[in-house]
């Protein structure tokens, strides 16, 4: 499971021209799911994101989490996070899980984020969406649960 997390001052997702979800200060989370991902990974990743301390404290240090700044989360499914561009000029998306696997895990991730009590908005899985954001900082983080699986390589990945 992969997440691209962007610290934002505002973000929204539109479907068919209408706003489906929007937040003020917080995180825009683009979430990709692959075969073999589990509910435990969805919960773990949600907890890591909710507790991620990248908002400035009184000393201008990245030391505050979403709850500390009354932030929200906008979660958007993003199968293209598993795009493979190694061969040719057209990415392969065979690494992305199919809907039968991905939808329940996407929903488990959303549910776990909502358990935090933070405001959580979403896109619609599989929909054609337009995402607008103002990246604050900019601060953009990448998290991949493959790095925490037993036996997984701990090497740094460059994309």
């Amino acid at each position: 499971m992969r997440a691209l997390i962007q610290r934002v001052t505002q973000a929204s997702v539109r479907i068919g021209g209408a706003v489906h979800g929007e937040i003020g200060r917080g995180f825009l989370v683009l979430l990709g799911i692959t075969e073999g991902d589990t509910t435990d990974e969805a919960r773990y990743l949600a907890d890591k994101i909710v507790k991620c301390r990248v908002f400035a404290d009184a000393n201008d240090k990245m030391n505050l989490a979403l709850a500390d700044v009354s932030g929200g989360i906008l979660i958007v499914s993003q199968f293209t996070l598993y795009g493979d561009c190694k061969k040719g000029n057209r990415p392969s998306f065979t690494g992305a899980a199919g809907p039968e696997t991905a939808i329940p895990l996407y929903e488990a991730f959303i549910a776990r984020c909502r358990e935090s009590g933070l405001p959580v908005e979403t896109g619609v899985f599989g929909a054609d969406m337009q995402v607008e954001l103002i990246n604050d900082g900019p601060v953009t983080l990448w998290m991949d649960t493959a790095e925490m699986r037993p036996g997984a390589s701990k090497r740094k990945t460059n994309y």
Side-chain angles (χ1 to χ4, degrees):
M1 191 168 296
R2 293 179 175 165
L4 182 73
I5 302 108
Q6 296 180 310
R7 186 179 75 181
V8 299
T9 56
Q10 65 185 44
S12 65
V13 61
R14 293 177 181 273
I15 300 171
V19 173
H20 182 79
E22 65 183 331
I23 61 168
R25 187 176 195 192
F27 291 152
L28 167 63
V29 177
L30 304 177
L31 185 69
I33 299 164
T34 191
E35 293 297 334
D37 283 341
T38 66
T39 303
D40 286 343
E41 288 175 327
R43 291 178 181 147
Y44 176 85
L45 187 58
D47 290 347
K48 285 290 277 186
I49 291 169
V50 164
K51 295 174 186 174
C52 188
R53 300 183 317 167
V54 295
F55 295 91
D57 64 13
N59 297 315
D60 205 28
K61 299 256 184 200
M62 284 189 187
N63 203 26
L64 302 178
L66 284 166
D68 301 318
V69 299
S70 301
I73 306 172
L74 175 59
I75 303 165
V76 177
S77 61
Q78 185 83 34
F79 77 93
T80 61
L81 290 178
Y82 280 96
D84 182 348
C85 299
K86 292 176 188 165
K87 295 181 182 179
N89 294 316
R90 183 172 178 259
S92 168
F93 299 106
T94 59
E100 64 285 344
T101 299
I103 291 171
L105 292 173
Y106 174 69
E107 291 172 351
F109 179 86
I110 292 166
R112 185 61 168 211
C113 288
R114 286 189 170 137
E115 287 176 18
S116 71
L118 296 168
V120 175
E121 297 285 329
T122 69
V124 172
F125 189 94
D128 180 21
M129 297 175 275
Q130 291 71 51
V131 179
E132 296 177 324
L133 69 134
I134 299 176
N135 193 321
D136 182 23
V139 173
T140 302
L141 302 169
W142 174 267
M143 293 186 193
D144 192 327
T145 60
E147 296 172 1
M148 61 186 204
R149 289 184 182 142
S153 170
K154 297 296 180 187
R155 68 179 169 81
K156 190 170 189 163
T157 306
N158 294 318
Y159 296 94

